[in-house]
Amino acid sequence: AGASDVPQGNLNPNPDTDNDGTVSYQFQSADNGTVSLRLANASADELTVLATDLSDGQQGRSGPVQFLENAFVIESADTNALDIVAERDHDFVVRAMRRDDATGECGVVPDYDGPIELKAWLSRTSNDPGGAPPELDGGAGALVPGNTQPPSDNLTLNFMEGTASFVLGTSDVGQYRLNLLDDTSGVVVDAAGNPLPVAGTGDRWTVRPDRFSLAVTGNPGASTASGDRFRAAGEPFELVLSALG
């Protein structure tokens, strides 16, 4: 948890290790309405977290949370973290991770080294306005991802011992997640040597405008009482609000 959202209330049970799918948390005033809780899962699953206020029934539901034995982890490497602004470039990293059968711990897959071809696409949320998609540039040319899984590889990332960098270039606001899939390289194999797919889905990205511009249509901009009249009191006039990058 960050310094501002360390839980001050009571988690019951704590720790919750009974694997029954439920746990309760009693907020305290010191929480200021926000806490961070750690979710761990020992098996490869896709879970959804549902939070319910027991006093009034209000609910909130997360997007899919994936626990995979082999996965791509997509993280921000930008100084602004996940504060993504339209018409700016933002730095991200991809880490190829796998679970060690002996220790149960996850670590980077160093065999991901050199150029690896992947499939990349977006999953837009219900709040996405459907604007222009971003560009992804891993150093081998920019890609504009679509909204469905492509039939063939469309993005090349240059990995160095399990880690690769790319730049997200945005030209419009939006809200979406990035999906990556490697089902062609054969870097990760099972015990019989058969290739295993490696996939990953990033955090929900909300791309916002940098600022807003407010203009009044037909305003003569008079600076003194003798200047040109704009409108009489009570007359309607037009305001134009523009989102800027």
Side-chain angles (χ1 to χ4, degrees), residues 55-169:
S55 63
D56 62 11
Q58 295 294 320
Q59 292 186 332
R61 185 183 298 271
S62 76
V65 180
Q66 293 181 317
F67 292 87
L68 303 175
E69 293 185 353
N70 303 289
F72 290 123
V73 177
I74 306 168
E75 297 176 320
S76 171
D78 200 86
T79 55
N80 293 321
L82 289 177
D83 184 13
I84 304 175
V85 180
E87 296 189 355
R88 297 187 187 178
D89 291 342
H90 297 266
D91 296 324
F92 284 83
V93 296
V94 178
R95 293 183 176 89
M97 307 289 290
R98 72 175 164 212
R99 184 170 178 263
D100 188 287
D101 291 334
T103 66
E105 298 296 324
C106 291
V108 174
V109 185
D111 292 339
Y112 269 93
D113 201 59
I116 303 291
E117 294 187 350
L118 309 172
K119 295 177 176 65
W121 70 98
L122 301 177
S123 293
R124 295 181 181 263
T125 73
S126 59
N127 294 321
D128 182 85
E135 288 187 349
L136 308 175
D137 192 343
L143 160 75
V144 177
N147 298 328
T148 58
Q149 178 179 324
S152 58
D153 296 333
N154 59 350
L155 176 67
T156 301
L157 294 182
N158 291 309
F159 281 84
M160 181 176 292
E161 296 184 345
T163 300
S165 301
F166 71 89
V167 174
L168 175 75

Side-chain angles (χ1 to χ4, degrees), residues 15-39:
D16 179 21
T17 58
D18 55 19
N19 200 32
D20 68 350
T22 62
V23 67
S24 66
Y25 181 80
Q26 179 64 54
F27 278 89
Q28 299 295 325
S29 58
D31 288 323
N32 292 318
T34 302
V35 295
S36 289
L37 302 174
R38 181 175 179 269
L39 176 66

